[in-house]
Amino acid sequence: MLKNVSYLTKLLLAYSTIIGLLFLIFISIYYEVQVKNLKKSSQDNLIQMTSRVSDQFKGVLDEMSRISRGVAISSEVQAAMNEITQDNAPENYFYFHPQGKSRIQDVIIGLNGTYFNNRSFNVISKNYDYVGVDIYNGVTLDKKALSRITWIRYVLENNISKYISPVSEDMYGRSRNETFSFVRLIQNEYKTYGVIDVQFERTYLDKIFTMELSGYPVHTVVVKDDNIMFYSTGGAPAGAMEPLVRNCEVGPGSQTIQSMSLEGKKYIVCSTLLNDYDMKLYLLVNTEHYLASVNNTTTVFVICAVTILAALLLIVYGVTQSLYKPIRQLRDNVSRIDYATISVDLQVADTNNEVTQLTHAFEKMLEDIRHATGELMQLRTREIQAYYKMLQAQINPHFMHNILAVIGMMGRQKNAPEIMDMCSSLTRMLSYSTDTTQSTVTMQQELEHVSNYLKLMKYRYLDYLEYTLEIDERLRQVIIPKFVLQPIAENCFQHSLQDAEPPYRIIIRGSIDENGWNIAVEDNGRGFTEGAIVRLKEQFETVNREIDEGMFSSDFQIGGLALINTYGRLRLYSNGKMRLDLSNTPDGGSRVVISFEGE
């Protein structure tokens, strides 16, 4: 699609794409950071609000509890109520006994004072005789009306010590405002006389729970422990109670804050528990509200970004126009290169433009290429000479094989079969070592090579050396890298058996099963020192890092095949599935194990 698009257009598209992506990344990061900070700030403020309003709400309930308790335990109230327990007349007892009514009212006034705005106090006997202290003039209640008040009947019939009624319409019919009640039984250890109903209007709660966060309303939902809605502010989600109770874990004395969806909108919810009154308090903030400022700012940024991008594109267009002409001229010069002589007839103008100056440098580059071409030919000649020398060097192993064969035949003629056996073993080792056509061999081939090496070492140490091979026949066909066993056996003589007391013993054990295979080389020497094992394992880790970084050389070399080189070649060959482990035998000798775990 872009094949026929001009260079200038491609450059503009590239610049606009890069700049647009940079602006998009910047705005995205800015938005995420601002949202995160604003969310954290809003959560902290909401937690503080929750602590404050829960304390204020608890203060209202504490005051209602204090007054109701004071009335319930008052001996004056109990004495006045005791006088009417036997009376079950249809009329209100206190209409005809004003002294008892006055005694009860004096107790209430003593506990509450003379402040009765938006509150009332009602003492009701078991027979629904009524004494009230309030500012609602002209309201009279008969026993039948009182018996229809739900929470009064509920407390009396079920002998509930205290009960808080949800916010609802005034069942006494004295106020148009909604009210809530704190009802407590008036009783002693012998007898129940009635109830004290301390009733406050909803305005007390509205003053506490009407608040804002960053200029936006905070909704409040209060739920009783029996999952009955006690109170909610206007604007709170209508169906919020059930998901709030189900999803918000509330612990006593602490605030829990979380995000949740209610009626298709996302809210931050801070919840707490008023343990003394079995109330759960939830404060909700609509995330759309507190994120509005961030969204508005981001919109401004987007508009500014688009404007700046358009301006930058105009600048880029002007710059690329000035650059494009000399670049096109350079392209034409390149197309006129004479590859036979590596020369070109340059047509450049005298200017300070950097791209045009690059065209001037082009001719000098061609001259350097001509010199480099001559040097390359010389290097190629030296490479061919080195190749011929390498071919000549390959003749030397054949010469060594022939000489060893002659020495072996002479030993046989002189009745010295040991010499022939030594020459035969050395010939096989030399042949195995100089064969560079294979980098991997079977375990059988590797065992034959290490056997030849040990046989020669036995001739050297005579009766001081004993070696055995205990190999599972199934292991002999396993493919492994070349030269991994002989360096391990050689390590026994160079380190573990050095300065050890003869006789020397080397055992090579190999086993295989469905989980993998392993082959171990053990000796009865001095073994590895703790420092040596630590150093070798550190070097193994160095090899691992070099392999992971592509710095380890896996070129096959006959010299320098120590344990480190062997470990590196095993790891490269098996991609880490073959392991080389170092330890000491119970008798103190060294043990080196090559193992492989199957898939």
Side-chain angles (χ1 to χ4, degrees):
M1 180 178 178
L2 296 177
K3 186 175 181 180
N4 298 322
V5 177
S6 67
Y7 169 78
L8 180 59
T9 304
K10 291 179 181 178
L11 194 61
L12 285 174
L13 289 174
Y15 282 158
S16 60
T17 301
I18 293 172
I19 296 173
L21 287 175
L22 289 176
F23 273 118
L24 182 62
I25 292 171
F26 169 77
I27 291 173
S28 299
I29 293 175
Y30 169 82
Y31 183 79
E32 291 297 326
V33 171
Q34 291 299 314
V35 168
K36 183 178 179 181
N37 292 338
L38 189 56
K39 183 176 181 180
K40 178 67 169 57
S41 174
S42 299
Q43 288 178 343
D44 293 341
N45 291 336
L46 195 60
I47 289 174
Q48 295 176 5
M49 282 185 177
T50 303
S51 298
R52 176 171 54 82
V53 299
S54 63
D55 290 341
Q56 293 176 355
F57 180 44
K58 183 175 180 298
V60 172
L61 296 179
D62 286 345
E63 182 181 6
M64 298 175 78
S65 177
R66 176 187 63 81
I67 296 172
S68 66
R69 184 186 299 108
V71 173
I73 64 175
S74 169
S75 58
E76 289 290 326
V77 173
Q78 291 185 7
M81 296 290 286
N82 187 51
E83 297 174 359
I84 63 173
T85 54
Q86 302 300 324
D87 181 49
N88 195 17
E91 297 82 6
N92 186 351
Y93 173 84
F94 292 105
Y95 286 166
F96 307 102
H97 299 81
Q99 288 132 350
K101 177 179 179 180
S102 177
R103 290 162 62 190
I104 294 174
Q105 289 177 333
D106 290 342
V107 172
I108 294 174
I109 292 172
L111 291 169
N112 180 73
T114 58
Y115 178 74
F116 294 101
N117 289 341
N118 307 112
R119 60 176 67 183
S120 63
F121 305 90
N122 313 284
V123 175
I124 303 167
S125 71
K126 290 178 64 176
N127 298 327
Y128 297 100
D129 298 286
Y130 169 78
V131 176
V133 179
D134 53 53
I135 60 171
Y136 306 109
N137 297 322
V139 177
T140 58
L141 298 172
D142 56 24
K143 289 187 175 184
K144 187 176 292 185
L146 288 170
S147 66
R148 287 195 295 266
I149 298 177
T150 307
W151 57 87
I152 300 297
R153 189 173 67 252
Y154 172 73
V155 171
L156 288 173
E157 292 178 357
N158 295 280
N159 203 33
I160 305 297
S161 61
K162 65 178 180 180
Y163 177 78
I164 302 175
S165 70
V167 175
S168 62
E169 63 175 316
D170 181 15
M171 298 297 290
Y172 292 95
R174 299 168 301 189
S175 172
R176 295 181 180 179
N177 296 325
E178 291 184 326
T179 61
F180 62 102
S181 295
F182 195 111
V183 184
R184 189 186 295 272
L185 278 179
I186 301 174
Q187 61 180 354
N188 56 27
E189 61 270 27
Y190 306 109
K191 195 172 185 180
T192 298
Y193 301 102
V195 298
I196 167 66
D197 179 0
V198 179
Q199 187 182 65
F200 283 15
E201 290 188 356
R202 178 192 175 101
T203 53
Y204 280 92
L205 302 181
D206 291 338
K207 290 178 182 178
I208 296 173
F209 294 124
T210 301
M211 55 195 143
E212 293 183 347
L213 178 65
S214 301
Y216 295 100
V218 177
H219 305 301
T220 304
V221 175
V222 182
V223 181
K224 297 180 63 177
D225 193 49
D226 50 4
N227 294 338
I228 294 176
M229 176 71 76
F230 175 78
Y231 169 87
S232 65
T233 56
M241 187 190 77
E242 182 178 348
L244 286 173
V245 173
R246 183 176 61 251
N247 298 317
C248 295
E249 294 292 334
V250 184
S254 63
Q255 285 80 39
T256 302
I257 194 158
Q258 64 190 89
S259 299
M260 62 184 302
S261 295
L262 297 170
E263 298 182 351
K265 297 181 180 179
K266 291 185 177 180
Y267 291 86
I268 293 180
V269 181
C270 187
S271 53
T272 189
L273 175 65
L274 298 181
N275 197 43
D276 293 342
Y277 300 102
D278 297 330
M279 296 278 193
K280 299 171 186 175
L281 180 64
Y282 304 93
L283 268 63
L284 299 83
V285 177
N286 191 328
T287 57
E288 293 179 357
H289 291 165
Y290 76 80
L291 290 178
S293 60
V294 177
N295 293 333
N296 293 336
T297 305
T298 304
T299 302
V300 173
F301 272 135
V302 171
I303 295 173
C304 293
V306 172
T307 304
I308 294 173
L309 179 59
L312 286 175
L313 287 177
L314 290 175
I315 296 173
V316 169
Y317 179 78
V319 173
T320 52
Q321 280 284 54
S322 64
L323 290 174
Y324 185 62
K325 183 177 180 180
I327 289 175
R328 183 171 54 190
Q329 185 177 11
L330 181 59
R331 179 200 63 194
D332 295 339
N333 289 335
V334 171
S335 65
R336 293 196 299 271
I337 291 177
D338 184 354
Y339 289 97
T341 61
I342 314 182
S343 64
V344 64
D345 181 17
L346 293 176
Q347 299 178 3
V348 295
D350 188 11
T351 178
N352 291 327
N353 188 298
E354 288 82 356
V355 178
T356 306
Q357 291 173 354
L358 177 64
T359 306
H360 284 290
F362 189 67
E363 184 177 17
K364 185 176 182 304
M365 181 190 71
L366 291 177
E367 183 64 27
D368 293 339
I369 290 175
R370 281 196 292 269
H371 288 296
T373 302
E375 294 177 358
L376 182 62
M377 293 300 294
Q378 296 177 5
L379 180 62
R380 181 61 179 166
T381 301
R382 289 195 295 270
E383 181 180 347
I384 293 174
Q385 292 173 350
Y387 177 72
Y388 282 122
K389 289 181 180 180
M390 182 188 69
L391 291 178
Q392 184 179 2
Q394 290 181 349
I395 300 173
N396 293 335
H398 298 290
F399 173 75
M400 293 296 297
H401 293 166
N402 294 334
I403 293 299
L404 289 172
V406 171
I407 295 173
M409 291 299 298
M410 291 180 66
R412 183 175 182 181
Q413 292 173 2
K414 299 295 183 180
N415 198 22
E418 294 86 354
I419 295 177
M420 185 173 183
D421 189 34
M422 292 174 62
C423 290
S424 176
S425 297
L426 185 56
T427 299
R428 287 193 294 271
M429 284 192 65
L430 185 60
S431 176
Y432 187 80
S433 301
T434 57
D435 182 8
T436 60
T437 61
Q438 292 179 308
S439 61
T440 59
V441 294
T442 63
M443 186 71 75
Q444 174 66 26
Q445 292 174 284
E446 190 71 4
L447 289 170
E448 289 176 356
H449 178 66
V450 76
S451 296
N452 289 325
Y453 171 75
L454 292 174
K455 183 185 293 187
L456 291 173
M457 296 304 291
K458 183 170 179 61
Y459 279 118
R460 175 184 175 184
Y461 289 98
L462 300 177
D463 294 335
Y464 289 147
L465 175 63
E466 300 174 2
Y467 70 91
T468 56
L469 276 70
E470 303 173 1
I471 305 298
D472 191 320
E473 292 300 321
R474 296 174 297 171
L475 185 61
R476 295 182 182 274
Q477 300 307 314
V478 171
I479 303 298
I480 60 173
K482 196 174 183 180
F483 286 110
V484 293
L485 291 182
Q486 188 261 333
I488 297 174
E490 186 177 353
N491 184 76
C492 297
F493 293 101
Q494 292 180 349
H495 299 286
S496 184
L497 295 177
Q498 191 176 23
D499 299 328
E501 295 295 330
Y504 308 130
R505 289 189 296 275
I506 294 178
I507 302 175
I508 300 178
R509 295 188 177 94
S511 62
I512 186 172
D513 56 27
E514 64 274 7
N515 297 321
W517 57 264
N518 67 80
I519 186 164
V521 180
E522 302 177 356
D523 62 53
N524 66 337
R526 297 182 180 275
F528 296 102
T529 64
E530 292 185 5
I533 292 178
V534 171
R535 285 193 300 274
L536 285 169
K537 289 185 176 180
E538 289 176 351
Q539 291 172 328
F540 289 171
E541 290 299 321
T542 301
V543 170
N544 288 336
R545 287 195 300 271
E546 290 179 352
I547 290 175
D548 293 338
E549 296 170 1
M551 299 172 59
F552 184 81
S553 175
S554 60
D555 294 340
F556 180 82
Q557 299 178 2
I558 296 176
L561 291 179
L563 291 178
I564 304 303
N565 187 282
T566 301
Y567 174 84
R569 292 191 300 114
L570 285 171
R571 190 182 184 282
L572 276 173
Y573 171 73
S574 65
N575 197 23
K577 294 181 180 179
M578 288 186 182
R579 297 180 53 189
L580 183 68
D581 297 313
L582 309 173
S583 63
N584 290 327
T585 65
D587 297 332
S590 68
R591 176 190 288 127
V592 180
V593 180
I594 299 175
S595 60
F596 174 81
E597 295 183 1
E599 296 292 341

